[in-house]
Amino acid sequence: MDASEGSQGSNGADLPSNLAYRSLIDMGIAKPIDDEHTQSSESVKSKNTQFPKPSKGTQSRPKKETQASETSNSGANTSGPGRPATSSLPDFIVQRNRLFDELKQKQDTEISSKPHPEINVVIDLGRGTERAVIAKAWESTPVSFLKDLKGDVGSDVVIAKVDGKELWDLDRPLQGNCRLSYLPFGSAEGRHVFWHSSAHVLGEAAECHYHKCLLSHGPPVEQGFFYDMALPEGQVVNQSDWRPLEEKASKFFKEKQPFERLHVSIPDLKKMFGYSKYKMYYIENLLPKEGSTVYKCGSLVDLCLGPHIQNTNKIKAFKVMKNSSCYFRGDKEDDSLQRIYGVAFPDKKGMVDHAKFLEEAAKRDHRKIGVDQELFFFSELSPGSVFLLTHGTRIFNALQKLLRSEYHKRGYQEVQSPNMYDVDLWKTSGHWQHYQEDMFRLDVEKRIYALKPMNCPGHCLIFGHRERSYRELPLRMADFGVLHRNEASGALNGLTRVRKFQQDDTHIFCTQDQITQEIEGLFDFLRCIYGLFGFPFKLKLSTRPEKYLGNIETWNVAEVKLRDALNSFKEAGGADWELNEGDGAFYGPKIDITISDALNREHQCATIQLDFQLPQNFALEFMTSESSAKPKPDGEAGAHTDGAVNDIAKEPGPGRARPVMIHRAIIGSFERFMAILIEHFAGKWPFWLSPRQILVIPVMPSVNDYVDEVQRVFHQAEFYVDTDKSSNTMQWKIRNGQQKQYNFIFVVGAQEEKSRSVNIRNRDDQNTQSKGDQIPLDVALKSLTALRNDRKLVNAI
C-alpha cells in the first residue's frame, strides 16, 4: 500500500497528497483530518496547494509533539464581563489587534463596494427537501437562511457547507451560485469546527491568564482540542490554573464574541505576528505566497484557515481536561511548550455523556488491557516497535490465518518482498522526493538504502520482472511483510501509532474493464471480515482533485466504475455511500472505509485506491488479447529503476497495455487493528480469536491425571488450554480464570472423571458461574471445534 494510505490509523478520513499541508493540519492552522489517538493514516497529505519548503534546519512537516509530562482532570484584570482591559494585555497583543481592526475595516469597505448581483442558492432543508432562493453575492450569508430549516434544526447548526465541498462560516457572504447545506454538532465535520472554535477560546483565556503567553497552535482532536503555548521565565501550567481558565472562557461565552474572518497578506501577517517565533515559523514555511486568513474572537487574533462557529455563545459547556509539556515541532532540541487539553459541548448533557464515555474508554484502553492480559509491551531500546508476547502473537496469528483462508478462496497470491531497497527504487516510485523524512535510511557499501514503509514499489518489481499476459489478470498480490516508518517519538501511541508494523497489504493489477468486478469483490471481502467482528462500516468516494496526474478521460471512466460498484453494493443490501468530491489522491480516485466500534468511535482501517501513476512510473505492461508481438527480449521486460520518475513514460506499443493498480487493505496494520479489537471487545475475545480459550481446574488433587488428559485432548485439537493445579482454593482459581477472560472454565472432580465429562462455566453466561453444565468430553470437543471453526461472536455451545 502506498504511503498515502491509512494503514496504522486514520480517523475516518484518508488524506490529501501534499505533505506540506500536513503541517497546517498538525499546527491547527488548517482543518484537522486526523486525531491524536487514532491517526488513521500514516501520512497526512495536502489537498492541492504546494507550499514553499523551509530553509535547511527547519522541517517542512512538523512532527507530532513529544509529551514529557502530564496532569489530567477526569484571572487577568478586566473591564467589563470577561473582557480584559487593554492595559492588562501586553503591547504586542494590543498592536496585533489594532492592525487586525485596520485591515478588517479595509476589507469590509472593499466587500461593500463590490457589485452585489443576484445569485441562485439551493438550500438543503433536511429530510430530503430543498428550496431554491434568490440571494445577493457578497451580501447574503448562510445564517440568513436558517429560518427556512424545519423545526428546531436551525438551533443545532454549527457550520454551513457550500456545494458539498467547502465548509463555510455562517456569517461569511456567499460569492456566487451554490448549493447550501448545514452541519450540526452531531456530524464529524460540525464537531471538529466546534472544537476548533473552542480551542480559540482556550487560547484567548490563556493570553489573558498568563502574561506574555506566546501561543503556538490549537487544533481539535478526536475527543476535544488542545492549545500549545510558551510561557515566560520557565513558568508551567498547573492544575490550579484550570479553574481560572474555565471561568474566563465562561465569561467569553456569555459575551457572544463573534468569530471574524480576515484574509491577510504575508507582509501584514509578519507585522501582525512578528512578536512570536512560532507563528513566524508557520508564516515563513507553511503558507502560500498570497497569504492566509486569520480569525478574531474577543481579544484573540489567530492565524487560522477556519471555518468557525458564529459566536462563542454557542458553547454551553467547557472543561479543561489535562495539561502536559511537549516540544515545538516534536523536536526535543527545540523549545519546550505547555499543552492544555479541553473539551466543550453545545449543551451540558453533552459534557455529562462525555464523562461517562471517558470512564468506559479508560476501562477499555488497549494499553492497560495489553499489560493485564500479557499481550505485548514496549521497550525504550526499540521505541515504537512492539514486543508481541505469546498471547498477543496468538491473536496476530488468528487474524493472519483468517486473511490467508480468504485469500485462498478469493484467488490471491501471497508473495514476500525485501525489507530494504536502494533509493533508486523510491526515486522511481516518487516516494523519495516526498516521503524520505519518514523513511529509515541506511548507508551500505557506499550506496544509500531505505527500509520499506510500503510494499507497492516492490510489487511493481514483481509484476515487471517478466513478461505478463492479459490471461494472468487480475493479478491479486498479497504481502504480510514488515514495514518501517520513521514516526516522531511524540506521535508514538501504544499500538495505534508505531514504527515497525505489518499490514494485510494487497495490490491488484488489472485491466480497466476489470475495475468494477474487482471493487465489487473487495466490498464482499469487507463485509465478510468486518461482519466477523460486528463492525458496521461506511463508504466514501473521493474523486479527482484539482491537481492530478493522467488524462481526464481515464479519471472519468474510473470514477464511473467506482460509482457503479458502490451503487451495486448498495442495491444488494450493502452500506450506503457518500461522495467526497475533489479529495481523491493525485494518482487516482479512492474509496475510504470507516468502521464503528462498541463506543461508536470511527476508525479508518480499509482503503481502496486506484493508481494510474505507479504502473507508468515503472513502465508496467502486459500483452493484450490482440497482441501479435513477440515477447520482449530478456532485460527489456521489467520495471524501470533508473532513479528518475517517469513523468512521461513511453506508451505501450501495439498489442500491449498498461495495467491499473488497485491499492487495498482491509484491516490495515495488524498492530492498530489489534488495538481497535482490544477496546471493541474490552478484552473479552471471541472464542476463535481468544489467546486463552480454556482453563481446566481440578476439584481435588486426586483428579490431576484426568485434568492432564483433558488438556492433552484439547491441545491436540489445537486449542489454547491451560490448567491450574496449584494449591489455591478452587474458588480463587475460578475467579483468577474469570479475570484473565478465559472463554470457558472446565471444573472436573471425581464425578466428571468417572463419566468422562467436564463441568463448563461460560464466561458470558452468568447462569453457569455457580455451577456449570456437565457435558461429555467428546461432545464438548465437538461443540468447541464447531464454535472455533465458524468464527462466531457469541460465546456459546
Side-chain angles (χ1 to χ4, degrees):
M1 182 166 296
D2 200 349
S4 62
E5 300 167 24
S7 62
Q8 291 193 61
S10 143
N11 171 32
D14 197 7
L15 312 159
S17 57
N18 177 324
L19 289 178
Y21 189 78
R22 175 176 178 177
S23 302
L24 295 180
I25 295 160
D26 288 346
M27 294 301 171
I29 299 170
K31 294 174 290 184
I33 349 182
D34 221 344
D35 63 72
E36 177 191 37
H37 180 65
T38 53
Q39 307 260 348
S40 101
S41 166
E42 287 321 273
S43 56
V44 183
K45 300 164 294 265
S46 81
K47 265 208 181 221
N48 302 309
T49 310
Q50 294 286 340
F51 298 110
K53 296 187 74 173
S55 59
K56 192 170 183 179
T58 59
Q59 298 176 339
S60 62
R61 182 179 58 80
K63 296 184 176 180
K64 296 289 181 181
E65 285 69 10
T66 303
Q67 295 184 12
S69 64
E70 182 175 288
T71 306
S72 178
N73 180 16
S74 306
N77 295 328
T78 60
S79 58
R83 176 79 66 175
T86 301
S87 60
S88 70
L89 294 172
D91 289 343
F92 64 80
I93 291 181
V94 174
Q95 293 169 8
R96 175 194 70 189
N97 295 1
R98 183 180 297 127
L99 178 58
F100 176 93
D101 292 339
E102 292 172 0
L103 296 175
K104 183 66 165 59
Q105 184 177 8
K106 181 179 178 181
Q107 175 182 277
D108 291 345
T109 301
E110 291 174 353
I111 291 177
S112 64
S113 65
K114 287 178 179 287
H116 294 183
E118 290 187 347
I119 57 175
N120 298 313
V121 179
V122 178
I123 305 171
D124 182 352
L125 299 175
R127 301 181 179 90
T129 59
E130 295 179 343
R131 179 186 174 192
V133 298
I134 302 298
K136 288 190 175 183
W138 299 101
E139 179 178 336
S140 301
T141 62
V143 73
S144 63
F145 305 116
L146 283 179
K147 63 182 182 299
D148 296 317
L149 298 184
K150 295 181 178 179
D152 59 352
V153 175
S155 62
D156 295 331
V157 167
V158 170
I159 201 71
K161 199 170 194 179
V162 172
D163 292 333
K165 298 179 183 178
E166 184 176 3
L167 295 179
W168 201 271
D169 300 282
L170 291 174
D171 282 329
R172 182 182 173 188
L174 300 171
Q175 298 172 9
N177 298 334
C178 63
R179 299 180 65 86
L180 191 63
S181 57
Y182 296 93
L183 300 176
F185 177 82
S187 68
E189 290 177 302
R191 195 159 49 249
H192 277 168
V193 168
F194 190 92
W195 282 338
H196 191 184
S197 301
S198 302
H200 277 237
V201 177
L202 174 60
E204 181 184 4
E207 283 194 339
C208 294
H209 183 70
Y210 302 105
H211 186 63
K212 294 186 178 179
C213 161
L214 296 181
L215 299 178
S216 172
H217 70 295
V221 291
E222 187 180 5
Q223 297 299 329
F225 50 89
F226 68 79
Y227 221 117
D228 286 354
M229 62 200 70
L231 302 183
E233 300 172 2
Q235 295 180 37
V236 296
V237 176
N238 295 306
Q239 190 167 347
S240 59
D241 295 325
W242 296 357
R243 178 64 66 84
L245 289 170
E246 291 171 349
E247 290 174 349
K248 284 180 172 59
S250 180
K251 292 178 181 178
F252 300 156
F253 304 151
K254 294 174 183 176
E255 287 183 340
K256 206 174 181 178
Q257 297 174 353
F259 280 85
E260 300 176 86
R261 180 180 186 273
L262 175 67
H263 189 276
V264 183
S265 68
I266 293 294
D268 282 332
L269 285 173
K270 291 181 177 180
K271 292 179 185 177
M272 189 174 287
F273 297 104
Y275 62 88
S276 171
K277 65 178 180 179
Y278 309 112
K279 299 298 184 185
M280 289 298 291
Y281 172 83
Y282 310 144
I283 293 168
E284 292 175 347
N285 298 313
L286 304 177
L287 296 183
K289 60 183 179 181
E290 60 269 20
S292 185
T293 52
V294 298
Y295 277 79
K296 180 181 181 182
C297 69
S299 64
L300 176 72
V301 175
D302 206 3
L303 185 65
C304 180
L305 292 182
H308 285 284
I309 59 177
Q310 188 180 13
N311 61 66
T312 57
N313 192 242
K314 283 280 186 181
I315 306 171
K316 302 299 183 183
F318 179 98
K319 188 174 185 180
V320 175
M321 301 301 295
K322 60 183 178 180
N323 66 270
S324 67
S325 59
C326 61
Y327 296 113
F328 181 58
R329 301 187 302 132
D331 186 348
K332 65 181 181 180
E333 302 300 324
D334 219 320
D335 292 358
S336 176
L337 303 179
Q338 297 293 297
R339 175 175 293 181
I340 303 175
Y341 291 86
V343 70
F345 295 92
D347 56 58
K348 296 188 177 180
K349 181 178 181 300
M351 187 66 77
V352 174
D353 293 343
H354 183 69
K356 295 177 181 177
F357 166 83
L358 291 179
E359 182 180 358
E360 181 61 27
K363 295 177 184 176
R364 294 170 177 259
D365 191 322
H366 75 277
R367 294 165 295 186
K368 176 181 182 299
I369 293 175
V371 172
D372 294 344
Q373 296 190 357
E374 294 186 271
L375 303 179
F376 61 86
F377 74 94
F378 289 90
S379 169
E380 281 303 311
L381 296 177
S382 184
S385 299
V386 66
F387 288 78
L388 279 183
L389 299 172
T390 298
H391 295 91
T393 302
R394 289 174 177 178
I395 298 169
F396 180 97
N397 289 341
L399 291 172
Q400 199 170 72
K401 183 178 180 180
L402 164 66
L403 291 164
R404 281 199 168 107
S405 68
E406 289 298 321
Y407 286 168
H408 182 73
K409 295 175 188 176
R410 298 170 186 272
Y412 283 75
Q413 301 179 28
E414 188 174 342
V415 299
Q416 294 185 15
S417 53
N419 282 345
M420 184 174 72
Y421 294 94
D422 189 297
V423 296
D424 280 352
L425 176 83
W426 306 111
K427 291 176 181 177
T428 298
S429 68
H431 292 102
W432 193 249
Q433 293 86 326
H434 302 289
Y435 199 70
Q436 62 173 294
E437 74 173 66
D438 293 297
M439 301 168 70
F440 287 100
R441 168 177 168 158
L442 300 92
D443 295 318
V444 182
E445 297 180 346
K446 299 182 180 180
R447 295 174 65 183
I448 303 175
Y449 293 83
L451 296 179
K452 66 177 178 182
M454 68 287 296
N455 287 307
C456 39
H459 289 183
C460 287
L461 291 185
I462 294 175
F463 183 93
H465 88 283
R466 67 166 174 81
E467 189 69 77
R468 297 287 180 179
S469 167
Y470 73 95
R471 294 185 178 89
E472 298 180 71
L473 305 183
L475 177 57
R476 307 180 186 102
M477 199 178 296
D479 195 332
F480 291 119
V482 174
L483 305 175
H484 289 85
R485 294 183 182 173
N486 188 15
E487 300 289 348
S489 58
L492 301 178
N493 186 15
L495 294 177
T496 62
R497 181 59 70 93
V498 291
R499 287 174 173 165
K500 173 261 177 186
F501 60 99
Q502 292 173 257
Q503 60 185 23
D504 64 325
D505 206 359
T506 293
H507 296 95
I508 301 173
F509 298 89
C510 64
T511 68
Q512 288 202 27
D513 292 339
Q514 293 168 335
I515 291 175
T516 300
Q517 71 182 42
E518 288 305 303
I519 299 301
E520 289 175 346
L522 291 176
F523 289 160
D524 182 69
F525 205 159
L526 288 169
R527 182 157 46 187
C528 170
I529 298 298
Y530 290 159
L532 287 173
F533 303 106
F535 287 137
F537 62 92
K538 299 177 182 177
L539 303 168
K540 182 182 292 185
L541 171 62
S542 297
T543 57
R544 186 183 68 252
E546 291 182 14
K547 294 186 178 180
Y548 59 91
L549 294 175
N551 62 72
I552 194 168
E553 293 78 13
T554 302
W555 274 84
N556 290 339
V557 169
E559 290 177 6
V560 167
K561 291 180 181 294
L562 292 184
R563 289 172 190 264
D564 290 345
L566 286 163
N567 288 329
S568 296
F569 181 64
K570 177 183 176 182
E571 291 167 3
D576 199 357
W577 60 278
E578 299 176 22
L579 180 63
N580 189 19
E581 290 187 18
D583 201 32
F586 67 90
Y587 51 77
K590 60 190 176 73
I591 298 173
D592 298 324
I593 302 99
T594 57
I595 59 175
S596 298
D597 67 10
L599 295 181
N600 291 319
R601 296 174 298 187
E602 292 190 348
H603 310 273
Q604 183 187 332
C605 299
T607 186
I608 300 169
Q609 300 192 347
L610 297 190
D611 188 348
F612 310 118
Q613 186 63 26
L614 216 54
Q616 178 170 305
N617 287 358
F618 284 91
L620 301 183
E621 299 179 5
F622 64 90
M623 293 187 294
T624 69
S625 59
E626 301 173 354
S627 176
S628 59
K630 295 180 181 180
K632 290 183 178 181
D634 291 343
E636 290 188 27
H640 294 303
T641 55
D642 58 5
V645 177
N646 299 290
D647 292 325
I648 307 178
K650 193 175 181 180
E651 287 302 314
R656 312 185 69 83
R658 202 165 318 284
V660 176
M661 192 175 184
I662 302 176
H663 305 257
R664 85 100 184 101
I666 303 295
I667 70 171
S669 82
F670 282 87
E671 289 78 2
R672 180 170 178 269
F673 196 68
M674 284 177 61
I676 293 171
L677 290 177
I678 290 171
E679 298 186 2
H680 179 62
F681 292 122
K684 294 185 176 182
W685 299 97
F687 185 69
W688 69 272
L689 193 58
S690 178
R692 294 180 174 86
Q693 295 173 324
I694 301 166
L695 176 64
V696 188
I697 298 175
V699 175
M700 70 281 288
S702 61
V703 297
N704 280 355
D705 289 344
Y706 182 57
V707 167
D708 292 339
E709 180 185 352
V710 171
Q711 182 187 33
R712 185 166 55 254
V713 167
F714 280 88
H715 180 76
Q716 289 174 348
E718 298 186 353
F719 289 93
Y720 298 127
V721 53
D722 300 315
T723 65
D724 188 346
K725 295 181 288 184
S726 68
S727 60
N728 292 309
T729 66
M730 187 179 72
Q731 291 304 317
W732 186 94
K733 295 176 186 179
I734 291 174
R735 178 58 182 158
N736 186 52
Q738 291 171 336
Q739 290 177 338
K740 290 185 176 180
Q741 301 300 337
Y742 281 92
N743 296 73
F744 298 98
I745 297 177
F746 294 177
V747 178
V748 297
Q751 183 179 353
E752 285 78 18
E753 181 180 32
K754 182 178 180 179
S755 62
R756 294 192 58 76
S757 63
V758 288
N759 190 289
I760 301 180
R761 284 166 167 78
N762 182 338
R763 180 194 66 194
D764 298 340
D765 185 354
Q766 291 301 314
N767 295 325
T768 66
Q769 298 307 311
S770 58
K771 182 175 177 59
D773 299 323
Q774 189 168 333
I775 299 175
L777 187 61
D778 58 343
V779 174
L781 178 62
K782 183 178 179 180
S783 298
L784 289 179
T785 300
L787 179 62
R788 178 190 62 190
N789 294 346
D790 292 343
R791 296 191 174 98
K792 293 181 179 179
L793 280 176
V794 179
N795 198 61
I797 56 176

